[in-house]
Amino acid sequence: MKYVLKSMHSVVFIIGSFLVLFSAGRFVVPNVLSQSGWAIQIAVSLLLFSISILYDDWFVYELVIFAGLIAYTGVVFVNTKVAQPVFLVLVIISMRRITPETVMRNVFIVQSLLLIVNLTLYHFGVLYNYTSGPLSKHSFGFRSPNQLGVTILQLVVILLFSSFKGFFHRRPLLIRALAMLYFGILLILLYLSGSRGSEISAVVALVVYISLFLVDKIGMSVLRTLYSSVAIIPFILSLVTLSDSVNQVGSLLYKLNQILTTRVALGNQFFHEYGISMFGQDVVYHFGSSAGTTYAFLDNEYLVYLINYGIVATAIFVGYILLLTNKVVITKRYGLLIAILPFAVYGFVEQGAGEAWVNFSMLFSSVFFIKNTAVSQNNMEV
């Protein structure tokens, strides 16, 4: 029965995630699906959580932790009118007995299917190409170039992880050639998307991938310090960007703001307009807002958490990333860093790093709840 429920969990995750992401596409004609994205997220999150309750064993400390997190995200929702933290916590809880390898397999299926379907529907005119910026960014049917970019980023990360784990070495030459071809096509699409955040994060993923071949020559304490620094630096830099020097011509932040297409200045403007609170506040994101610009979105997930969701939520979010990074290093599951660290960097330049449907590394909660992290895949994979 448990195996059946766990298999059902994977099926619901794959179908549900696809519907959540597909409903956000650039439809030429609005339809029921495109207008039901929020309802789909609620249904999928609750269904995954409910299934996990049926097949999982529960310990007292888990009940205490999860009840506290759910109650807290409920408070955040009341204050902010944003449900993403609630969705994230529910899905994280539902994944506590699902290995990261299973998570990545399912995400790979979802994102590959999404890419194929969106590109096909764009070709036939059901979805349209949203372009923006002087570099002619393209969405090819996705809601924005950034959504296309992060879809490709997820696939690139998973392919790199699979390569690091030797998955392709055990496959026929044709499979390896197809994987390399797919990887090359993804890089071309990433370039055409013009999504700077995803491009930067893809480079980080490649650097982490290369660095992992040197881990045997580096001590554990050095590794923990090195990778934890990569995980925390984007958050620290986010705090630095709140300085008013971003508006001083020639300053380091001013130059960074130009490179990141005014993202830094926008975060600074939101900070001055709203400030920060302990338990979150309602923040308005829209075009032509009182922030003094025609584009008013916080393209920094750390600042979204700090300004929108509050200090406590930010501490939990950043703390979780750090704990995840340290746990992976301690248990020598270094390959998972190929996913964790790029998305930590992604959070500095884009929204989405705190969403279950975007940053799948947040769903690696099983590294804390499976006692033997080297547990047989026969026991955990479905």
Side-chain angles (χ1 to χ4, degrees):
M1 185 63 178
K2 284 189 175 183
Y3 179 82
V4 173
L5 288 170
K6 188 170 288 188
S7 298
M8 186 185 299
H9 186 277
S10 283
V11 171
V12 170
F13 178 81
I14 291 171
I15 296 175
S17 296
F18 174 81
L19 289 175
V20 167
L21 296 168
F22 180 61
S23 66
R26 284 278 173 179
F27 287 90
V28 173
V29 179
N31 52 65
V32 174
L33 183 63
S34 66
Q35 297 171 345
S36 305
W38 198 75
I40 295 172
Q41 291 186 65
I42 294 175
V44 174
S45 301
L46 289 175
L47 193 53
L48 289 172
F49 178 72
S50 300
I51 294 173
S52 73
I53 289 177
L54 295 177
Y55 76 71
D56 275 351
D57 295 321
W58 288 82
F59 299 96
V60 174
Y61 79 94
E62 291 180 352
L63 290 172
V64 172
I65 293 173
F66 297 149
L69 284 173
I70 292 173
Y72 174 70
T73 54
V75 172
V76 173
F77 173 70
V78 170
N79 290 339
T80 65
K81 310 300 186 294
V82 179
Q84 285 302 335
V86 181
F87 299 150
L88 179 62
V89 166
L90 289 176
V91 179
I92 285 176
I93 293 173
S94 81
M95 294 292 178
R96 71 189 187 286
R97 301 284 189 266
I98 307 295
T99 64
E101 290 77 13
T102 301
V103 171
M104 284 189 276
R105 181 203 65 190
N106 293 342
V107 169
F108 189 81
I109 294 171
V110 170
Q111 300 297 346
S112 292
L113 182 61
L114 181 69
L115 186 64
I116 293 170
V117 170
N118 275 12
L119 290 178
T120 301
L121 293 181
Y122 160 66
H123 176 74
F124 287 106
V126 178
L127 300 173
Y128 68 90
N129 181 29
Y130 176 80
T131 60
S132 67
L135 299 179
S136 297
K137 298 180 178 182
H138 297 277
S139 73
F140 297 125
F142 286 80
R143 174 160 293 277
S144 68
N146 288 337
Q147 189 187 23
L148 169 61
V150 78
T151 295
I152 296 168
L153 173 63
Q154 292 177 71
L155 292 169
V156 165
V157 163
I158 295 172
L159 285 173
L160 288 174
F161 172 82
S162 300
S163 174
F164 177 75
K165 298 298 289 185
F167 176 82
F168 298 113
H169 297 312
R170 303 189 298 269
R171 297 296 184 272
L173 179 61
L174 177 61
I175 299 299
R176 282 181 279 171
L178 289 174
M180 291 180 65
L181 176 62
Y182 190 29
F183 191 80
I185 292 173
L186 290 174
L187 293 182
I188 293 172
L189 286 172
L190 182 59
Y191 171 76
L192 293 175
S193 76
S195 175
R196 194 159 301 180
S198 294
E199 291 171 348
I200 292 171
S201 299
V203 171
V204 172
L206 185 59
V207 171
V208 172
Y209 170 80
I210 295 172
S211 74
L212 292 180
F213 290 99
L214 305 174
V215 294
D216 292 335
K217 302 178 182 180
I218 305 174
M220 176 66 74
S221 60
V222 176
L223 280 175
R224 290 180 65 181
T225 301
L226 176 63
Y227 290 126
S228 294
S229 297
V230 176
I232 193 64
I233 284 175
F235 171 64
I236 295 175
L237 286 178
S238 298
L239 296 180
V240 172
T241 62
L242 299 178
S243 168
D244 288 339
S245 66
V246 68
N247 299 313
Q248 297 175 4
V249 179
S251 70
L252 186 60
L253 283 182
Y254 182 87
K255 294 177 181 178
L256 180 62
N257 183 54
Q258 300 304 307
I259 294 173
L260 297 180
T261 58
T262 72
R263 284 174 169 84
V264 179
L266 275 172
N268 188 273
Q269 289 172 355
F270 270 99
F271 172 66
H272 282 290
E273 183 173 354
Y274 290 98
I276 57 176
S277 64
M278 188 64 68
F279 300 108
Q281 59 186 319
D282 188 12
V283 174
V284 178
Y285 305 103
H286 57 77
F287 291 93
S289 80
S290 56
T293 177
T294 56
Y295 176 88
F297 293 90
L298 266 173
D299 285 324
N300 181 314
E301 190 69 11
Y302 298 105
L303 295 186
V304 169
Y305 265 77
L306 186 62
I307 297 172
N308 203 164
Y309 305 152
I311 295 173
V312 176
T314 305
I316 294 172
F317 176 60
V318 176
Y320 181 72
I321 295 173
L322 285 175
L323 288 173
L324 199 58
T325 302
N326 275 279
K327 186 68 174 181
V328 164
V329 173
I330 291 172
T331 55
K332 297 184 179 180
R333 304 185 70 177
Y334 303 119
L336 299 181
L337 294 170
I338 298 173
I340 297 169
L341 298 182
F343 278 105
V345 173
Y346 183 81
F348 177 70
V349 288
E350 298 289 356
Q351 285 192 21
E355 295 183 17
W357 326 111
V358 174
N359 182 1
F360 62 82
S361 72
M362 298 293 285
L363 309 184
F364 294 168
S365 53
S366 67
V367 301
F368 300 110
F369 297 102
I370 298 177
K371 291 185 179 180
N372 180 8
T373 53
V375 67
S376 169
Q377 294 301 305
N378 292 328
N379 293 330
M380 296 304 301
E381 292 280 357
V382 295

